[in-house]
Amino acid sequence: MARAAGVSQATVSLVLGDKWPGRVSERTAGLVRDTARELGYRPNLAARNLRLGRTRTALLVVPALTHEFFARVYTGAASVAAEHSFGVVLYPSPEGVGPARDPFASARAALDGVIASSMATEALATIRGTDLPLVMLDSDPAGSGAAAQVNLDIADAMRQVTGHLLGLGHRRIIHLASAVTSWTFTVRADTLAEAVRGVPGAVVRTVRSALEVHAAREAAERALRGPGPRPTALICDSDVLAAGAVKAARKLGLRVPDDISVTGFDDSGLATALEPELTTVRLPAERVGEHGMSALLAILDGREPENTVLPVSLVIRGSTAPPPA
């Protein structure tokens, strides 16, 4: 291979190992790649990994596989990993956001690093031990133990939702909150409370629900049947909860958005499957995965990873309108 390209074996190793920038000219790197294609050459990754003490495998830990958000995070992480000949193993923690069990006899022997989404760093202790690099996604920035973090601007997301509804004139609001205890949902509740504080006549009541449509429908129905003036808006912690809220409103003979407005979070496929389509927060889940994998690769390469906060956007659709007169 080196002889055919007219370069040294070291140059071939640098180019095919993607370590050439700054060491080999672009022209030479292109020549090596062209020669490899012509010869049908494939590097022996197993031998190289054994020599480097690397498995070229990352573990992506998520609380569940039932949420579209985590599938999109995986898609983003896997796309970046593939560009660097890495693999990503997707692992739903059996305990949800609780302590995750090691899926291998020894994670240290099977993996190069761990990426975890929407969990706490302490939940990963069994998997990573003390020396596997850890990148946290959508998790508490104050948590310790992570080598890098990639977060969404969840507080801004809730401010956008609340500002939209308050601007329409809503003052009696139900927060249909996730019953899951995690940083992202805590931020949503705290930001909502702060956003309405000081707004004359604004009242928020929180009702919690499991992250499933049936449970959300029952919780929303109880809230809408509650004593006192009926709320005019439901702010939901996810599109799944919003789907349950829409079903509850219809069961009670209420029209969305004429009688009650409903908002979601995620902008999943469910948001446009509902009728009317859902006003919700668009979360760039693929970019979360991309940045998470890039941060892990930087750590493994001895570079300083970036801590990133990704912007979000409110998508206004037909499920919100001014409150009834």
Side-chain angles (χ1 to χ4, degrees):
M1 167 68 190
R3 187 180 298 112
V7 299
S8 69
Q9 185 61 52
T11 297
V12 171
S13 297
L14 286 172
V15 174
L16 297 184
D18 202 25
K19 302 288 186 181
W20 65 270
R23 304 181 188 181
V24 176
S25 70
E26 289 191 20
R27 179 181 175 279
T28 300
L31 174 62
V32 171
R33 286 193 293 263
D34 290 343
T35 304
R37 279 194 294 270
E38 290 171 4
L39 296 176
Y41 177 81
R42 295 290 185 274
N44 188 333
L45 292 179
R48 184 177 70 182
N49 293 342
L50 182 63
R51 184 173 70 254
L52 296 175
R54 292 274 180 87
T55 66
R56 301 192 76 78
T57 304
L59 185 71
L60 174 60
V61 187
V62 299
L65 288 180
T66 54
H67 200 296
E68 182 182 320
F69 175 83
F70 300 121
R72 290 163 53 201
V73 168
Y74 171 80
T75 298
S79 67
V80 171
E83 294 173 2
H84 296 82
S85 302
F86 255 73
V88 178
V89 177
L90 181 60
Y91 177 51
S93 171
E95 304 302 324
V97 296
R101 299 194 296 269
D102 188 343
F104 306 101
S106 170
R108 189 66 195 89
L111 302 168
D112 284 336
V114 178
I115 305 171
S117 180
S118 309
M119 301 181 73
T121 52
E122 55 266 27
L124 286 304
T126 301
I127 291 179
R128 58 183 291 266
T130 58
D131 54 355
L132 269 182
L134 172 65
V135 176
M136 299 297 295
L137 315 178
D138 190 33
S139 302
D140 188 353
S144 60
Q149 293 182 328
V150 179
N151 272 325
L152 295 156
D153 198 340
I154 295 298
D156 183 59
M158 186 55 86
R159 282 192 290 268
Q160 290 186 51
V161 171
T162 310
H164 170 62
L165 291 173
L166 292 174
L168 289 172
H170 293 277
R171 294 295 182 270
R172 298 191 303 275
I173 299 170
I174 291 290
H175 179 203
L176 187 54
S178 166
V180 175
T181 303
S182 69
W183 171 81
T184 185
F185 295 124
T186 298
V187 170
R188 296 174 205 205
D190 291 347
T191 305
L192 173 56
E194 182 182 343
V196 301
R197 191 175 296 126
V199 177
V203 177
V204 174
R205 185 157 63 94
T206 299
V207 178
R208 300 194 178 277
S209 169
L211 284 168
E212 58 180 40
V213 174
H214 179 71
R217 181 190 61 76
E218 290 186 337
E221 188 176 336
R222 287 194 300 271
L224 292 171
R225 288 184 185 275
R230 191 174 64 218
T232 63
L234 278 156
I235 294 178
C236 304
D237 270 353
S238 76
D239 293 347
V240 169
L241 295 180
V246 170
K247 289 174 72 73
R250 286 181 177 162
K251 184 176 179 182
L252 296 175
L254 301 175
R255 297 165 299 166
V256 177
D258 303 79
D259 299 315
I260 189 161
S261 289
V262 178
T263 66
F265 229 94
D266 297 330
D267 197 26
S268 63
L270 188 57
T272 51
L274 292 172
E275 185 59 44
E277 294 186 355
L278 191 63
T279 293
T280 186
V281 175
R282 179 170 294 159
L283 303 178
E286 288 88 352
R287 291 187 62 207
V288 172
E290 291 168 2
H291 280 266
M293 190 67 216
S294 294
L296 179 60
L297 290 170
I299 295 164
L300 295 174
D301 201 31
R303 293 179 284 115
E304 188 71 24
E306 289 187 17
N307 287 328
T308 307
V309 178
L310 297 172
V312 300
S313 56
L314 179 66
V315 182
I316 299 173
R317 298 194 179 100
S319 68
T320 51

